[in-house]
């Protein structure tokens, strides 16, 4: 039998990594919940000092080292890497580990993904509500912290590609704890913002607003974009990671609310993972799209988002990728100053 080329051998190992995905995700969740990354960041330490069971310590540390999440010093002790300190230590402003709760808490449901892919239907009628049903208060906050860091990273890319300097008042629909809004306010001192989200989000949002000392320019309004009218008086509306959570009919309802709320001549900005037009990827958007398939949403192409905006009454859709994770589509409500 002929020896595989380097390219095919690399492909074989990628397939192995796909098959091992559940193991990788569950191990990461264990390390987060057990505080191992905090102990590594406070290290270096031996496996005993890190509190690891002797039988599993070698393979667990080897796994973390192979993923670039731990490194060994000359004395054989392990410590966190810069990536771990930035993204997996909970006190870091860029903490991204909260997402791991989704894949740990829904391990059994994820095992039924094949059913959703075969039928084309989500597993439950509650859609995204199913995702948080088993989370207690601490888990909800942990997940929100992870999503906040995700939003902060997305906002950094967004403000480089979309000019917000000409806007006066931003309405962040489903804005959670303000990851996008607060970053945009800091970049544009003349901008004001309203975060609109469910009442349960208010405490964390107001905590973040106070920490950033932005209370004079940012307020939180509680409500549901399905049941309540959106606050008026804004010339730009942001939908960050919202539409992909919902099926098309729900998206139309959300966009109708946004069209009603934004001032004539105002702009809508949609940011979320979007598929390539030729369906060649990208990796993050395609994988997160599989999660949406399970839970009831859908990752769409940039052109499809543009179509939905035009159906809602917006015009002049403009679109662009935002790095490897997200894309952005903007459009304008007719009217206002020409």
């Amino acid at each position: 039998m002929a020896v595989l080329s380097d390219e095919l051998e690399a492909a074989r190992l990628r397939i192995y990594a796909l098959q091992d995905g559940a193991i990788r995700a569950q191990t990461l969740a264990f390390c987060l919940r057990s505080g191992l990354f905090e102990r590594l960041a406070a290290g270096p330490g031996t496996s005993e000092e890190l509190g690891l069971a002797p039988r599993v310590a070698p393979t667990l540390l080897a796994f973390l080292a192979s993923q670039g999440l731990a490194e060994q010093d000359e004395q054989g002790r392990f410590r966190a890497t810069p990536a771990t300190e930035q993204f997996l230590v909970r006190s870091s402003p860029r903490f991204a580990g909260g997402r791991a709760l989704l894949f740990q808490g829904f391990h059994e449901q994820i095992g039924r993904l094949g059913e959703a892919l075969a039928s084309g239907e989500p597993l439950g009628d509650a859609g995204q509500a199913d995702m948080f049903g088993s989370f207690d208060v601490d888990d909800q906050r942990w997940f929100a912290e992870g999503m906040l860091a995700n939003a902060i990273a997305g906002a950094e890319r967004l403000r480089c590609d979309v000019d917000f300097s000409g806007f006066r008042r931003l309405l962040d629909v489903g804005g959670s704890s303000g990851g996008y809004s607060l970053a945009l306010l800091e970049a544009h001192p003349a901008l004001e913002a309203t975060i609109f989200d469910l009442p349960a989000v208010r405490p964390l949002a107001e905590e973040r607003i106070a920490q950033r000392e932005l209370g004079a320019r940012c307020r939180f309004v509680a409500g549901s974009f399905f049941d309540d009218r959106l606050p008026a008086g804004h010339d730009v509306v942001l939908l960050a990671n919202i539409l992909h959570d919902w099926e098309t009919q729900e998206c139309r309802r959300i966009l109708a609310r946004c069209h009603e709320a934004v001032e004539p001549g105002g702009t809508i900005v949609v940011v979320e993972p979007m598929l390539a037009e030729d369906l060649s990827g990208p990796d993050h958007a395609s994988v997160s799209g599989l999660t949406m398939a399970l839970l009831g949403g859908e990752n769409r192409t940039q052109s499809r988002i543009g179509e939905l905006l035009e159906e809602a009454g917006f015009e002049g859709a403009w679109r662009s990728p935002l790095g490897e994770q997200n894309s952005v589509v903007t459009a304008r409500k007719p009217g206002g100053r020409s």
Side-chain angles (χ1 to χ4, degrees):
M1 183 179 293
V3 176
L4 291 175
S5 67
D6 290 345
E7 183 177 348
L8 279 176
E9 177 63 8
R12 183 180 70 85
L13 294 176
R14 286 198 301 272
I15 291 170
Y16 270 43
L18 287 172
Q19 295 168 339
D20 296 340
I23 295 293
R24 296 168 187 267
Q26 292 293 313
T27 302
L28 181 64
F30 163 79
C31 295
L32 286 160
R33 282 192 176 275
S34 67
L36 178 57
F37 292 129
E38 281 75 13
R39 297 197 296 277
L40 285 166
T46 64
S47 60
E48 292 82 5
E49 292 168 337
L50 293 170
L52 300 180
R55 190 176 72 87
V56 301
T59 191
L60 178 56
L61 291 169
F63 169 74
L64 294 177
S66 72
Q67 303 302 309
L69 303 179
E71 57 188 7
Q72 193 174 21
D73 65 15
E74 294 179 353
Q75 287 73 42
R77 298 172 301 175
F78 285 83
R79 63 191 173 202
T81 64
T84 298
E85 293 176 343
Q86 282 282 309
F87 303 120
L88 295 174
V89 172
R90 192 173 180 183
S91 61
S92 168
R94 294 182 178 272
F95 174 71
R99 293 180 72 246
L101 292 178
L102 187 157
F103 300 103
Q104 182 188 43
F106 290 86
H107 182 67
E108 292 184 5
Q109 290 91 328
I110 292 171
R112 297 176 58 199
L113 175 60
E115 297 176 32
L117 296 178
S119 67
E121 301 293 333
L123 286 185
D125 295 332
Q128 297 298 306
D130 283 345
M131 192 168 68
F132 301 103
S134 65
F135 286 6
D136 60 25
V137 173
D138 185 61
D139 282 350
Q140 289 174 2
R141 183 178 182 87
W142 199 345
F143 187 83
E145 289 171 353
M147 293 300 97
L148 175 65
N150 190 51
I152 290 171
E156 291 175 354
R157 295 303 304 253
L158 176 64
R159 63 187 179 87
C160 291
D161 287 64
V162 177
D163 184 9
F164 282 80
S165 62
F167 298 121
R168 298 176 292 105
R169 296 195 68 205
L170 166 71
L171 176 60
D172 190 353
V173 178
S176 187
S177 52
Y180 276 89
S181 296
L182 300 182
L184 292 171
L185 288 175
E186 289 178 335
H188 301 285
L191 186 65
E192 298 180 0
T194 300
I195 301 171
F196 182 84
D197 212 321
L198 297 172
V201 180
R202 182 192 292 274
L204 185 57
E206 293 186 340
E207 178 183 320
R208 299 300 183 185
I209 293 169
Q211 287 175 349
R212 304 286 189 91
E213 299 182 347
L214 290 170
R217 291 195 288 134
C218 187
R219 63 172 180 151
F220 183 94
V221 174
S224 164
F225 46 59
F226 289 128
D227 302 324
D228 303 306
R229 294 184 65 155
L230 301 180
H234 301 81
D235 57 348
V236 58
V237 173
L238 175 65
L239 288 173
N241 297 304
I242 300 298
L243 295 183
H244 77 151
D245 286 345
W246 305 99
E247 295 184 359
T248 299
Q249 283 304 110
E250 284 79 13
C251 289
R252 288 178 173 136
R253 291 172 60 194
I254 295 167
L255 291 174
R257 297 271 189 190
C258 294
H259 188 271
E260 177 186 37
V262 71
E263 294 179 344
T267 297
I268 186 168
V269 179
V270 177
V271 180
E272 61 187 39
M274 300 183 198
L275 302 175
E277 298 296 323
D278 63 359
L279 302 183
S280 59
D283 180 72
H284 175 78
S286 61
V287 175
S288 72
L290 295 173
T291 305
M292 296 302 107
L294 183 70
L295 298 173
E298 178 184 354
N299 280 6
R300 301 170 175 87
T301 63
Q302 295 174 20
S303 61
R304 180 56 183 146
I305 296 293
E307 291 171 358
L308 289 172
L309 293 178
E310 291 175 358
E311 288 176 14
F314 295 97
E315 63 182 17
W318 172 85
R319 63 198 198 200
S320 174
L322 289 178
E324 296 295 324
Q325 184 170 347
N326 293 325
S327 295
V328 59
V329 180
T330 70
R332 180 177 174 273
K333 180 177 177 176
R337 296 179 181 179
S338 58

